[in-house]
């Protein structure tokens, strides 16, 4: 899944030569970052949106130790916040903040991992599907994906 991105980057069709800007939504322990790094994809900047402070620390440590040229930007640095309610419309990033990110640096790749405990058939004790309390981050991913597309199209034509 990641290898085609490397091919696009090598041909100059994915982001600037110094690397892409990634928006990582609730990626947990940075598995997507590990995959990008393993494939040699140059990441210039990564925005981390994670509600768990320990997972944020793990992701920041990963990027800083394995890719020191990558600028790591957490929720707080952007003035974004976790409202405490995963179903709230403005959880993580407001629409204005997303548009500002697109205008300032562009977003070349959106990655994320929805909490799987409540949607996994292996979690018989707590399976709740997408109606689960933590599964509503999927709605945030969908909202952010839609808004990013809208802003990328809007600012590409300018």
């Amino acid at each position: 899944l990641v290898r085609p991105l490397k091919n696009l980057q090598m041909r100059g069709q994915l982001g600037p030569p110094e690397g892409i800007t990634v928006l990582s939504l609730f990626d947990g322990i940075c598995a997507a970052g590990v995959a990008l790094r393993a494939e040699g994809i140059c990441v210039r900047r990564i925005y981390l949106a994670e509600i768990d402070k320990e997972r944020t620390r793990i992701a920041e440590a990963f990027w800083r130790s394995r890719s020191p040229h990558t600028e790591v930007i957490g929720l707080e640095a952007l003035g974004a916040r976790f409202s405490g309610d995963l179903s709230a419309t403005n959880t993580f990033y407001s629409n204005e903040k997303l548009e500002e990110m697109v205008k300032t640096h562009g977003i070349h790749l959106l990655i994320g991992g929805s909490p799987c405990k409540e949607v996994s058939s292996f979690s018989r004790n707590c399976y709740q599907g997408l109606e689960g309390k933590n599964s509503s981050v999927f709605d945030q991913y969908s909202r952010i994906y839609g808004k990013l597309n809208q802003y990328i199209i809007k600012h590409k034509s300018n």
Side-chain angles (χ1 to χ4, degrees):
L1 189 62
V2 176
R3 192 158 293 144
L5 295 175
K6 178 62 179 174
N7 293 336
L8 287 171
Q9 192 172 46
M10 289 173 53
R11 291 193 307 257
Q13 296 174 312
L14 179 65
E18 65 271 11
I20 62 174
T21 297
V22 176
L23 174 54
S24 174
L25 303 177
F26 29 90
D27 186 25
I29 58 170
C30 202
V34 171
L36 292 172
R37 181 86 175 109
E39 285 300 321
I41 293 176
C42 184
V43 176
R44 170 66 189 100
R45 182 176 297 102
I46 183 159
Y47 293 105
L48 297 175
E50 175 59 63
I51 61 173
D52 184 288
K53 295 214 182 289
E54 182 62 17
R55 291 181 188 147
T56 299
R57 190 193 63 71
I58 290 168
E60 286 174 344
F62 167 81
W63 285 105
R64 290 199 169 97
S65 66
R66 290 177 181 78
S67 189
H69 68 279
T70 300
E71 180 183 4
V72 180
I73 306 165
L75 284 171
E76 295 82 16
L78 287 169
R81 63 178 172 44
F82 171 55
S83 68
D85 179 6
L86 287 170
S87 63
T89 305
N90 63 347
T91 296
F92 299 117
Y93 296 112
S94 67
N95 293 341
E96 295 78 20
K97 185 59 67 178
L98 287 169
E99 185 167 16
E100 179 185 323
M101 290 161 57
V102 169
K103 282 172 43 177
T104 305
H105 300 293
I107 301 291
H108 304 103
L109 181 63
L110 174 65
I111 58 176
S114 210
C116 55
K117 192 174 180 181
E118 294 172 345
V119 295
S120 172
S121 61
F122 293 107
S123 298
R124 289 187 179 92
N125 296 347
C126 60
Y127 178 83
Q128 297 175 36
L130 289 176
E131 292 77 34
K133 184 181 108 189
N134 293 319
S135 297
S136 60
V137 296
F138 181 80
D139 295 330
Q140 289 296 323
Y141 190 93
S142 180
R143 176 189 71 83
I144 289 171
Y145 175 78
K147 286 296 179 184
L148 282 177
N149 276 337
Q150 178 185 336
Y151 298 141
I152 288 168
I153 290 168
K154 175 182 175 181
H155 293 290
K156 240 184 179 171
S157 61
N158 289 345

